[in-house]
Amino acid sequence: MDRQDLIDAYLDGKASPEMLAELDRALAEDEELRLQFLQSADLISDLSKTLCGAEPIPMPKPPRPRTTPLQLLTLAAGFVMAVGLFFSMRPTPPPNLLTVVQGAGVFGSTTLKRGDRFEPLGQLTSGASELICRYPDGTDITLEPDSVLQLKTGATKKFTLTKGAVIAEVEPQPQGREMAITTAHSVVRVLGTRFRLSTGVFEDLLAVDHGEVEFFDKKLNVSRVVGPRAEPHRVEGMQIQWASPYRSRPFVNFDDLSDSYKPKRWWLTDDFEPRWLNKLWEVSPPHTMEYQSLEAPLPNFVLEQAERNGDQTNVLKVTHPNGSGPPVSLRMKRRILWHSFFLNYQYYPLSDDVDFRQICLDFPDGVEMETIFESRENLEKADSWNEVRVEYLEYLKGTSWAFEVRRHVNGEHQSTTRVKTGKMEPIIFELRSGAVLLDQISIGELAPVAPVNG
Amino acid sequence: MEREKFLEHYMEIQQPLRAYLYAATGNLHDADDLSQAVWQVLWKKLDQYDDTRPFKAWSFGIARFEVLRWRQRKARSREVLSDDSLEKLADTSCKFADQISARHAHLLDCVSQLADQARRVLELKYTEGWISKEIGKMIDRSAEAVDMMLSRTRKTLRECVERKMSEAQ
C-alpha cells in the first residue's frame, strides 16, 4: 500500500490500527509526507464547500433494458396514443413551484413574503419566525425559526437540512420519487406523513406525528422505520429506557415538564471530561452576593471567601456526612433567560459494558444539560441513588435556579439538600453530586459563532 | 487588535486550520467542533494577543493545544495519531498555511472539469455524507467500485490543482 492510500484510508476512517501505526511513524519522520497529508485533508475538507458552489449535476440514470425493434414499434405507437390522450384530456400540469403560505424568509438573496412563489432549487432560510411553504400537491414544509434548508432539485422533493429544524406534512408521493431530507448525520425518506426533523452538531432528532418514515443513520450505517410515538432516535450512544427503577439503564423522567418545554433532543455518549471532577463551587465577583442568601438548612455547606489573582471569589464547599456514594456530575450551560423548566431525574446502575457515560439534554431555550455517570465500580453499588431535582424559575426581578438533591440509601429516602440561587446572567453551571456533593459552578462567557468562509 | 482585523486574519487561516484539524482527528465532525473551540479561544483571548507576533503562529499554537486536549479525551476510545506526529503536523501546517490556502483558488476549476458521474459521486460523499455502499446503490455499482472511483477522482483533483499551481507561478 502506498502512502497516499494510507492517507486516504485514514481520512476516510478506514485505517486499521496497523495502518495507523505505519502512517504515524512515517508522519513523524517525513515533512514532505506531512505536507502531502495536510493537502489531502485540505482537499476533502474543502470539497463540500466547493461542490456546493458548483453547477448542479443530474443524478445518473440507471441502465435501460435492451429493446427489440418490435417492442420499439409498439412503444412508439403507445407513446403517440398516450400523448394524444394526455393533451386532449388534461391541461398542462402546473410548474412545481413552492408558495409561501406563512411567515417570511430568504431564498438565495431574495426576501420572501407570504404569497411569493419560487422554483425550489437553492438555499431557503427562515428568520425569527416559522416559514411555511407549500408544493402544488399540498405538501407543506415548515422551516422553524433560524433554520436553513438546501433545496436540491426542482423536480423532486430532496433537501439538505444544514441548520435548525423542519416539519414536513407530506402528501403521498409517487413510487420511486419519495421525498428525502438529508442532514450531516442521517437521511429521512418518506412517502406521505407528518414529522419533525431537527439537526444539531452531534446528531438529529426525528419525531413522527403520523405515518411512517425511514431513518437512515449515516454513522452507524443502519436504517429503521420510525412511526408515531416512537422513541426519538439518537445517532450516538445507547438507548435511554423509559423504564422503572432498577433496570440496568438510566431512567429519565420528563413528566413534570410542560409540553412546550420537553428537551429538544437527548442522548447518551461515552465522552468524559476529567475537569468535571473538580470539587469546588466557585462564583465569580459579579455573582458573589447572590449566593449568600442560600435557602434551606445547609449544615453541610461552607461558604468561604477566597482571593485569587486579585479577584475575590466565593467558594462554596458542599459535603455530606454520610460519606461516599454513587457520584453524578451535572453540567448546565444556560444562555437564554425566558423559559422555565422543571426536571426530575434519577439514575440507576448501568450495564457491565458501560465505562463512562453521560446523558445530554437540550432544552428549547438553549439550556444544555449533561449528566455524567462516572465510574462503573461506584455505580454497581446498586440500591443507593441520588435524585436530583432542578428547578429553573422565572421571577419578576430575575431568574433563579434551585437544586435539590435527595439521597436514597437502600431504596429509602434519607436526606434532602436544597440550594437556591438568585438572579443569574448567562452562565455555565457545573454541578456534581457524589455522595451528595455539589461541586463546581463556573461562570462562562459566551463567544460569537465563527464566521462561515465564503 | 481590532475585531475587523482579527476577522480578516482569521479568514486567511481558517481553511489551513481546518485542514490541520481534520488531518489530526481524521474526522470532519471533530474537525468542525475543534475549529469552533479554537475560534472561541481566539476570540476570548483577543485582548491578550500581542499583534507584533504573527497571528498565524498564535492561532496554530492554540489549535495545537485544542488537538492535544481532544487527543486526551479520545485516546482511550480509539486509535489516534501520536503526540509527536500531531506536534509536527501543527508545525508543518503553520509553515505551509499560505501554500495550502493558495490551492483553493484552483479547486473549483478542477472540479468543473470532472465527468458528471465523478462529480456526482463526490457530491454524494462529501456534501451529502453518504457512505460508499449507499452511493453504490444509487449509481448501480458496488461499494468497492465507488471507493475506487473516489480514489481516482481525488487523485485527478490533486494532480489538476498541482498543475494549475505550477502554471500560476
Side-chain angles (χ1 to χ4, degrees):
Chain A
M1 177 174 276
D2 74 13
R3 288 177 158 192
Q4 187 60 51
D5 289 339
L6 269 181
I7 291 171
D8 287 345
Y10 171 80
L11 293 176
D12 212 15
K14 292 177 178 170
S16 64
E18 294 75 28
M19 290 161 73
L20 184 70
E22 187 182 339
L23 179 66
D24 194 52
R25 272 195 303 277
L27 284 173
E29 291 165 3
D30 185 349
E31 184 172 62
E32 200 173 311
L33 179 70
R34 290 199 291 275
L35 182 58
Q36 182 185 345
F37 183 42
L38 287 163
Q39 286 171 344
S40 297
D42 176 57
L43 179 79
I44 292 175
S45 78
D46 197 29
L47 264 176
S48 57
K49 281 181 274 180
T50 303
L51 287 165
C52 279
E55 288 295 309
I57 309 161
M59 189 68 186
K61 292 176 184 171
R64 290 192 302 183
R66 290 183 182 175
T67 313
T68 64
L70 181 62
Q71 283 174 320
L72 272 177
L73 198 63
T74 312
L75 282 172
F79 176 73
V80 170
M81 286 175 68
V83 168
L85 201 61
F86 180 80
F87 280 105
S88 65
M89 294 181 68
R90 288 194 56 176
T92 306
N96 202 23
L97 297 181
L98 269 172
T99 305
V100 178
V101 295
Q102 187 181 315
V106 176
F107 180 67
S109 55
T110 309
T111 305
L112 294 174
K113 60 183 186 307
R114 187 175 174 181
D116 284 348
R117 303 179 82 194
F118 59 98
E119 179 89 19
L121 180 60
Q123 179 170 298
L124 184 62
T125 307
S126 59
S129 58
E130 277 186 352
L131 172 65
I132 304 178
C133 299
R134 183 167 295 160
Y135 276 95
D137 69 359
T139 295
D140 279 349
I141 302 294
T142 302
L143 209 51
E144 293 196 354
D146 196 25
S147 299
V148 179
L149 195 63
Q150 303 284 346
L151 308 173
K152 305 293 287 185
T153 71
T156 55
K157 299 182 182 70
K158 295 197 185 300
F159 320 109
T160 300
L161 179 65
T162 52
K163 184 184 175 193
V166 62
I167 297 172
E169 188 141 14
V170 187
E171 291 299 314
Q173 300 295 301
Q175 194 71 36
R177 293 180 64 185
E178 67 267 30
M179 177 173 152
I181 302 184
T182 303
T183 74
H185 317 293
S186 62
V187 180
V188 169
R189 296 191 191 93
V190 58
L191 284 170
T193 190
R194 177 185 161 83
F195 65 90
R196 177 183 185 276
L197 175 67
S198 64
T199 190
V201 175
F202 301 110
E203 33 60 297
D204 299 333
L205 177 64
L206 171 68
V208 180
D209 288 355
H210 58 74
E212 287 184 336
V213 301
E214 180 193 356
F215 185 96
F216 177 74
D217 185 326
K218 292 179 183 175
K219 188 170 181 182
L220 301 179
N221 190 23
V222 294
S223 178
R224 63 184 262 191
V225 174
V226 180
R229 294 182 299 280
E231 188 177 317
H233 185 93
R234 296 162 301 284
V235 167
E236 301 223 9
M238 53 193 258
Q239 286 189 344
I240 299 176
Q241 302 282 332
W242 296 82
S244 59
Y246 300 107
R247 289 278 185 94
S248 62
R249 296 282 168 83
F251 171 69
V252 181
N253 175 14
F254 298 122
D255 289 345
D256 287 319
L257 289 173
S258 68
D259 285 338
S260 63
Y261 208 85
K262 300 288 186 193
K264 287 193 299 184
R265 58 196 181 109
W266 46 288
W267 70 100
L268 275 178
T269 172
D270 56 2
D271 275 346
F272 177 74
E273 293 197 28
R275 66 192 174 87
W276 292 338
L277 288 174
N278 291 332
K279 293 181 178 177
L280 294 177
W281 180 1
E282 297 184 3
V283 183
S284 65
H287 305 278
T288 298
M289 300 308 291
E290 307 291 346
Y291 292 92
Q292 290 180 354
S293 57
L294 294 166
E295 277 194 359
L298 295 171
N300 306 315
F301 285 70
V302 181
L303 191 63
E304 291 181 353
Q305 293 278 333
E307 194 165 316
R308 181 187 298 170
N309 300 329
D311 290 335
Q312 192 179 62
T313 303
N314 275 3
V315 178
L316 186 65
K317 291 181 178 174
V318 187
T319 57
H320 193 275
N322 288 344
S324 62
V328 171
S329 296
L330 181 64
R331 186 178 74 158
M332 295 177 195
K333 289 180 186 172
R334 185 164 159 285
R335 294 173 182 154
I336 304 171
L337 297 174
W338 54 80
H339 279 286
S340 298
F341 76 87
F342 182 88
L343 169 70
N344 185 348
Y345 81 88
Q346 297 167 308
Y347 73 85
Y348 298 93
L350 301 176
S351 56
D352 287 339
D353 58 343
V354 173
D355 189 4
F356 292 104
R357 296 284 178 188
Q358 62 180 308
I359 297 179
C360 308
L361 304 147
D362 267 8
F363 288 93
D365 64 355
V367 172
E368 296 170 9
M369 182 181 295
E370 296 171 359
T371 306
I372 311 301
F373 295 87
E374 194 180 305
S375 77
R376 190 173 60 202
E377 290 74 25
N378 282 330
L379 290 170
E380 282 175 351
K381 289 174 187 168
D383 267 8
S384 296
W385 73 89
N386 291 338
E387 186 179 89
V388 178
R389 199 176 169 94
V390 181
E391 286 178 84
Y392 172 25
L393 307 172
E394 211 172 30
Y395 292 146
L396 285 176
K397 291 182 179 177
T399 51
S400 168
W401 287 86
F403 304 103
E404 184 177 284
V405 182
R406 296 179 179 188
R407 173 78 173 151
H408 297 257
V409 176
N410 296 325
E412 289 187 8
H413 176 250
Q414 192 180 61
S415 62
T416 299
T417 309
R418 188 177 172 83
V419 181
K420 196 166 185 178
T421 70
K423 184 184 171 188
M424 295 290 169
E425 298 300 324
I427 194 171
I428 294 173
F429 278 95
E430 294 193 0
L431 166 67
R432 176 180 174 230
S433 89
V436 199
L437 180 68
L438 301 181
D439 277 337
Q440 182 176 353
I441 291 185
S442 61
I443 308 299
E445 183 188 342
L446 295 183
V449 175
V452 178
N453 205 0
Chain B
M1 180 190 278
E2 291 173 7
R3 306 275 153 170
E4 290 74 18
K5 195 72 182 166
F6 166 72
L7 285 175
E8 200 178 298
H9 282 318
Y10 183 79
M11 297 303 274
E12 284 167 9
I13 58 128
Q14 187 180 23
Q15 186 57 32
L17 194 65
R18 188 169 184 252
Y20 160 62
L21 296 172
Y22 177 36
T25 60
N27 181 302
L28 280 170
H29 296 306
D30 284 347
D32 284 338
D33 289 349
L34 286 180
S35 292
Q36 190 67 31
V38 171
W39 158 266
Q40 292 196 355
V41 175
L42 290 172
W43 184 266
K44 278 181 186 170
K45 295 194 170 178
L46 192 53
D47 295 335
Q48 302 166 23
Y49 171 62
D50 173 4
D51 57 9
T52 60
R53 291 169 52 207
F55 182 82
K56 194 165 58 178
W58 181 57
S59 309
F60 274 91
I62 288 170
R64 180 194 314 236
F65 180 72
E66 290 297 325
V67 164
L68 291 179
R69 277 177 35 146
W70 168 87
R71 190 183 184 283
Q72 282 172 357
R73 290 200 303 270
K74 296 287 180 182
R76 190 168 33 199
S77 58
R78 64 171 173 164
E79 300 286 338
V80 292
L81 293 173
S82 64
D83 280 351
D84 187 29
S85 292
L86 291 174
E87 289 279 317
K88 286 176 175 166
L89 265 181
D91 290 340
T92 309
S93 309
C94 188
K95 187 172 165 187
F96 292 99
D98 294 341
Q99 186 183 327
I100 291 172
S101 288
R103 299 165 65 87
H104 291 264
H106 306 299
L107 187 59
L108 185 58
D109 254 2
C110 292
V111 166
S112 67
Q113 292 170 15
L114 292 173
D116 278 358
Q117 191 173 60
R119 278 176 60 193
R120 180 61 184 150
V121 169
L122 277 184
E123 189 178 295
L124 290 168
K125 175 78 177 177
Y126 296 120
T127 305
E128 300 185 16
W130 293 93
I131 59 170
S132 301
K133 188 175 162 190
E134 289 292 317
I135 297 172
K137 284 182 194 167
M138 294 178 208
I139 63 168
D140 199 25
R141 297 274 195 286
S142 67
E144 292 74 26
V146 170
D147 283 339
M148 185 62 73
M149 188 186 292
L150 283 167
S151 173
R152 279 201 302 267
T153 308
R154 286 193 300 257
K155 186 178 178 201
T156 305
L157 286 175
R158 280 195 298 271
E159 289 170 354
C160 172
V161 169
E162 289 299 333
R163 195 170 56 248
K164 286 181 180 294
M165 290 277 287
S166 307
E167 287 166 5
Q169 283 170 1

